Amino acid sequence: LHEWGRAGMVALAPDAQRERELSWFDFGRPSSLSPDGRILSFTESGSGAGPDPAAFVRPTDGSPAIRIAKGSAAGMSPDGTHLLLIDGQRRVLKVVPVGAGETRQLDTGSPKTIGSAVWTADGTRIVFAARDSGPQRLFVVGAAGGVIPGFSIHDVV
């Protein structure tokens, strides 16, 4: 018995008249769009990506995808210049430049299993869903790093 799966992505880009196929390898999962809808971030985890998942960005005009780093793509920054990246063990959250620049690891506190992450609309904070020993909860950290005083942690319902 042999089973083979594939995941694909299609999008209607700004100013386009019809949807465009944006799949890259064999198992791409979309993560986020830039605010102007012109750049898609996604994670490839099939055999085409290799042994580890990898984060990519791809213009929605159909131009080639650009490999950003190992790990899973999460939210794109409001200005489209940075991507949140969750490592393969789902324990580390990083801010990775889409172009030139340095990658920064965010301080997420005690060890957690990170499920997802997004930027706030103003780009100053990052909200991520994670679990430690209990239910999954939401956490807020500054985009520049560090916990934000006065923000509480809420259980995800």
Side-chain angles (χ1 to χ4, degrees):
L1 178 65
H2 180 75
E3 182 177 347
W4 184 73
R6 184 180 186 331
M9 302 177 292
V10 294
L12 180 63
D15 305 322
Q17 300 300 313
R18 59 190 169 98
E19 290 181 337
R20 179 181 313 272
E21 171 68 40
L22 293 176
S23 301
W24 192 241
F25 291 129
D26 55 344
F27 210 84
R29 294 178 321 278
S31 169
S32 63
L33 279 173
S34 61
D36 63 5
R38 297 189 186 281
I39 300 174
L40 168 72
S41 69
F42 64 98
T43 302
E44 280 284 351
S45 60
S47 58
D52 300 308
F56 288 80
V57 294
R58 184 172 188 187
T60 55
D61 68 4
S63 299
I66 300 165
R67 186 181 188 278
I68 300 297
K70 281 185 183 180
S72 297
M76 190 173 296
S77 64
D79 64 4
T81 62
H82 290 82
L83 184 64
L84 294 172
L85 184 85
I86 303 169
D87 79 317
Q89 305 303 312
R90 305 202 72 79
R91 300 267 185 215
V92 176
L93 182 59
K94 296 178 181 178
V95 176
V96 181
V98 171
E102 293 186 24
T103 296
R104 291 181 288 113
Q105 182 172 324
L106 295 173
D107 179 4
T108 58
S110 62
K112 298 171 179 59
T113 301
I114 301 168
S116 60
V118 296
W119 298 78
T120 56
D122 65 3
T124 63
R125 298 178 189 109
I126 294 164
V127 179
F128 65 98
R131 76 175 70 247
D132 39 23
S133 59
Q136 189 166 5
R137 299 182 298 172
L138 296 178
F139 298 85
V140 179
V141 294
V147 175
I148 300 183
F151 275 84
S152 58
I153 299 168
H154 303 281
D155 288 335
V156 176
V157 180

